[in-house]
Amino acid sequence: MILIHKPGMLTTIQDKGRYGFQKQGIIVSGAMDQTAHRIANLLVGNSEDCATIEATIAGPKLEFEQDALISLCGGEFNPSIDGHRVKQWCPVIVRKGSVLTFGQAKNGCRCYLAVAGGIQVDVVMGSRSTYLRAGIGGKDGRGLRAGDRLPIGTPASYLQLYIDEIKNKSFISLPWSVTHAFRTKVQNNQPVRVMISHEYHLFSKKSQQAFFNEPFTISSQSDRMGYRLNGPTLPLAEEQSMLSEAVVFGTIQVPSNGEPIVLLADRQTTGGYPRIAQIASVDLPIFAQLKPGATITFHEITLEEAQRLYMDRERAIKHLTRAITLQYQSRIR
Amino acid sequence: MYFHLSPLGDHAIVIELGDDINETVHRNVQCVSHAIEQQSFEWLIEHIPAFTKVTVLYDPMKTPYVNAHESPYEIVSKQLIRLLRTVKGSKVTRSRTVEIPVCYGGEYGPDLAYVAKVNHLTEEEVVHIHSQGTYTVYMIGFAPGFPYVGGMSERIATPRKQSPRLEIPAGSVGIAGKQTGVYPIATPGGWQLIGQTPLSLFDPNSTSPTLLQAGDTIVFKPITRQAYESYKEEK
């Protein structure tokens, strides 16, 4: 079990999301930074589908009530165990009774804690992701609170060998980690690659130019559902009303006030505003790590490039999965 | 049957079947959804029907490799076009009818009097008009199982409240402009509330978690407060 001492700002249980029910109006939810969530799982020998704990901006304080193999991936949070700094993006063995604290997010704003065996809350409609508004998934459909105890699944049997090595230390970081190529690191004026959408031509020429030539800032009115952007307003060439239709992760829609909203993990399934562009899947993890106040610029790429970049990254993650498995197995003869 | 495909980012394709809400386009949307459900494309994640479009979500990593020049989008488009050419739109008219019992007025429908006043009707007339209609569920969106419904008489159309309520209880039946609908979960909202159903429209533990689906026909049946309460107790 993991015992929550302090919940932090917004700490929820997430996995890859609740797919298959959007036609019934059920939102996807899931980890905002899917890459960090998946790699956190891979580092502890889990399948990518296991649930992790997503910390936001100010992370939680929690205690391991059993020996465990963990990893911390995503934004830089300066985490420590029993007062000693602990590395991110690498597997860490923790002893029963150890207490993990997160600092404030230094780079990025979401960090994923994976535990070998996964966080074993109930599966609701095929997923363990927390859906706050409907109150389902995760821990009782809500953010974590002090006193919550979360069950951990059984780790892959070959990992027990590692976990047993902990003995008297409070934690041991294994001597290998994920290369920087996989680590989401937000830059100043973060470039974000997009494809123009079907309704792009409905926007005025001035809006189209401003969208690609001027920077935008993430507004303080931003959450897991969507980020509002401050910057130039983006009016349509002439007013239009649209019928509601499906939207997806990374859709940039523009309500009649001209202020764009980027739809994220907790977006509604459908929307009725014109869409100016769509963030390339490969850039969604970095976008989801942006804090309010961060500035971004949009850059156009083609659909073909977006799909090629996405597939290149997926292949790289497959290689990483094999490399991690080999690392673990090299110690077992 | 008219259709037009366009991409929505690198993981979705939008099938456009018309540009106006009407029965023909709605039936075509239903036929296309049905045809997609019958297939087992390896790349298919899910599909989302709306008023005039069906959006298909796919995994570019799971599209069959054809050659280095064909993108996953092109491969999925070709397979969808092949499927869409076989779909005979408009013909299939089989739809479920779902009866929704409603306790109108009183504490369950705090805005019934207002809806009556705005339309120069009595409360009884509003209830009669609302419960005589047959309604089509065009699509589900906004919240789990929340139906976008067509078919309400304009005689009871009422503008939204000026300032939305912070919480509308689950099961509330309301009117917003020319639309009527039922709230499956408690949520903030600006609809005029005329009644409440004891039915649960969203049950995450059920095999079919939402009571309503796109394509359903809805009829509202007035029930007494007593019937409402005994229904709630049985549950």
Side-chain angles (χ1 to χ4, degrees):
Chain A
M1 290 274 193
I2 293 177
L3 172 66
I4 306 298
H5 286 204
K6 286 183 193 159
M9 199 177 106
L10 174 64
T11 305
T12 56
I13 295 167
Q14 299 293 346
D15 59 13
K16 72 170 195 243
R18 188 170 282 110
Y19 281 96
F21 299 95
Q22 288 195 82
K23 59 175 169 291
Q24 285 155 281
I26 288 139
I27 69 169
V28 175
S29 319
M32 287 277 275
D33 178 347
Q34 283 286 331
T35 304
H37 156 82
R38 290 164 69 191
I39 292 177
N41 269 325
L42 296 174
L43 280 172
V44 296
N46 286 349
S47 90
E48 294 181 6
D49 300 342
C50 285
T52 63
I53 295 175
E54 181 182 272
T56 317
I57 299 178
K61 178 180 180 186
L62 49 85
E63 178 182 341
F64 297 94
E65 298 187 315
Q66 65 195 76
D67 296 346
L69 176 65
I70 67 162
S71 71
L72 295 157
C73 297
E76 274 177 52
F77 272 66
N78 292 335
S80 56
I81 294 176
D82 295 338
H84 299 279
R85 281 286 300 276
V86 59
K87 278 203 296 182
Q88 292 185 227
W89 300 96
C90 100
V92 180
I93 310 159
V94 293
R95 196 183 53 187
K96 177 182 170 177
S98 298
V99 174
L100 169 69
T101 50
F102 289 74
Q104 290 276 331
K106 228 173 70 189
N107 186 284
C109 68
R110 291 169 223 281
C111 186
Y112 295 86
L113 164 62
V115 185
I119 307 292
Q120 291 295 322
V121 290
D122 290 342
V123 173
V124 182
M125 303 171 73
S127 167
R128 295 187 169 89
S129 286
T130 312
Y131 178 176
L132 295 167
R133 173 137 280 167
I136 61 169
K139 174 73 180 168
D140 303 332
R142 57 167 171 78
L144 298 181
R145 292 180 192 153
D148 282 346
R149 296 177 76 228
L150 308 172
I152 301 171
T154 314
S157 57
Y158 64 89
L159 295 174
Q160 204 56 50
L161 194 93
Y162 286 87
I163 297 172
D164 290 345
E165 277 179 17
I166 185 71
K167 302 203 176 98
N168 294 322
K169 293 182 182 145
S170 86
F171 72 94
I172 305 170
S173 297
L174 296 188
W176 47 274
S177 58
V178 174
T179 63
H180 284 271
F182 290 102
R183 304 185 186 190
T184 25
K185 185 147 191 171
V186 176
Q187 310 166 26
N188 246 343
N189 245 331
Q190 176 67 45
V192 177
R193 289 167 287 189
V194 300
M195 290 148 276
I196 57 168
S197 27
H198 196 50
E199 290 102 33
Y200 178 77
H201 67 277
L202 298 179
F203 288 84
S204 70
K205 278 277 168 293
K206 217 178 135 205
S207 297
Q208 296 176 0
Q209 282 163 5
F211 182 72
F212 285 115
N213 296 331
E214 292 183 42
F216 289 87
T217 308
I218 311 296
S219 142
S220 57
Q221 282 176 292
S222 294
D223 56 19
R224 281 182 44 90
M225 191 170 169
Y227 280 7
R228 282 169 194 275
L229 304 181
N230 294 329
T233 53
L234 307 171
L236 297 176
E238 52 188 287
E239 222 163 292
Q240 299 254 350
S241 83
M242 268 184 57
L243 295 171
S244 282
E245 61 172 280
V247 289
V248 295
F249 203 153
T251 298
I252 307 174
Q253 63 174 22
V254 186
S256 49
N257 63 10
E259 294 169 14
I261 302 172
V262 184
L263 301 174
L264 303 172
D266 283 355
R267 68 198 175 276
Q268 289 176 6
T269 54
T270 55
Y273 297 119
R275 299 160 298 185
I276 191 162
Q278 176 71 40
I279 297 180
S281 292
V282 74
D283 279 351
L284 288 174
I286 194 94
F287 190 85
Q289 287 289 356
L290 295 167
K291 271 188 264 204
T295 55
I296 53 167
T297 50
F298 290 114
H299 300 270
E300 186 183 352
I301 59 171
T302 63
L303 169 59
E304 290 69 29
E305 277 175 273
Q307 293 198 320
R308 203 175 50 240
L309 290 164
Y310 170 77
M311 291 194 290
D312 287 348
R313 217 220 5 235
E314 287 302 304
R315 285 185 202 111
I317 292 175
K318 272 189 186 154
H319 288 307
L320 178 69
T321 311
R322 277 197 288 274
I324 291 170
T325 311
L326 286 174
Q327 261 311 334
Y328 278 123
Q329 287 174 347
S330 66
R331 294 268 301 275
I332 311 158
R333 253 154 273 170
Chain B
M1 186 185 70
Y2 162 84
F3 64 84
H4 178 260
L5 302 190
S6 62
L8 171 62
D10 48 34
H11 273 68
I13 292 186
V14 182
I15 307 168
E16 189 187 321
L17 297 159
D19 51 15
D20 196 22
I21 305 178
N22 62 55
E23 274 301 310
T24 311
V25 172
H26 172 65
R27 278 201 297 270
N28 289 347
V29 166
Q30 288 308 113
C31 291
V32 168
S33 290
H34 186 73
I36 291 168
E37 276 160 18
Q38 300 302 304
Q39 299 291 315
S40 46
F41 295 122
E42 219 201 318
W43 42 258
L44 181 68
I45 298 171
E46 62 180 314
H47 71 283
I48 311 168
F51 289 113
T52 59
K53 296 173 180 175
V54 178
T55 301
V56 176
L57 273 56
Y58 65 96
D59 181 351
M61 287 298 283
K62 290 189 178 157
T63 53
Y65 180 82
V66 180
N67 61 57
H69 303 293
E70 254 188 321
S71 69
Y73 173 75
E74 288 166 316
I75 296 162
V76 170
S77 295
K78 276 189 187 165
Q79 295 197 4
L80 281 176
I81 289 169
R82 215 172 298 143
L83 174 69
L84 289 166
R85 290 207 173 115
T86 68
V87 177
K88 301 222 188 334
S90 311
K91 291 276 191 247
V92 188
T93 48
R94 270 197 16 236
S95 88
R96 298 191 311 163
T97 297
V98 181
E99 186 184 87
I100 299 182
V102 180
C103 178
Y104 287 97
E107 64 172 295
Y108 296 123
D111 302 323
L112 179 63
Y114 180 78
V115 171
K117 194 176 138 214
V118 165
N119 292 291
H120 310 291
L121 298 165
T122 64
E123 293 188 18
E124 290 72 25
E125 285 168 328
V126 172
V127 171
H128 183 76
I129 294 167
H130 190 262
S131 59
Q132 285 300 301
T134 48
Y135 302 88
T136 304
V137 178
Y138 283 117
M139 61 180 274
I140 304 282
F142 173 65
F146 182 88
Y148 285 84
V149 162
M152 192 182 79
S153 164
E154 293 199 16
R155 289 166 64 204
I156 54 173
T158 313
R160 284 163 199 266
K161 291 186 86 67
Q162 295 249 313
S163 62
R165 284 187 172 88
L166 289 178
E167 187 166 292
I168 288 181
S172 294
V173 177
I175 291 177
K178 295 180 208 167
Q179 286 187 77
T180 184
V182 194
Y183 278 84
I185 59 173
T187 144
W191 291 45
Q192 307 285 355
L193 307 183
I194 59 168
Q196 212 174 101
T197 176
L199 291 186
S200 125
L201 273 83
F202 176 53
D203 176 3
N205 298 315
S206 159
T207 45
S208 68
T210 61
L211 178 71
L212 297 171
Q213 288 168 18
D216 286 348
T217 300
I218 300 181
V219 291
F220 295 105
K221 182 187 145 202
I223 57 167
T224 62
R225 195 193 162 99
Q226 210 177 8
Y228 177 95
E229 274 153 16
S230 66
Y231 191 98
K232 277 273 184 190
E233 269 163 36
E234 273 170 42
K235 287 190 66 197

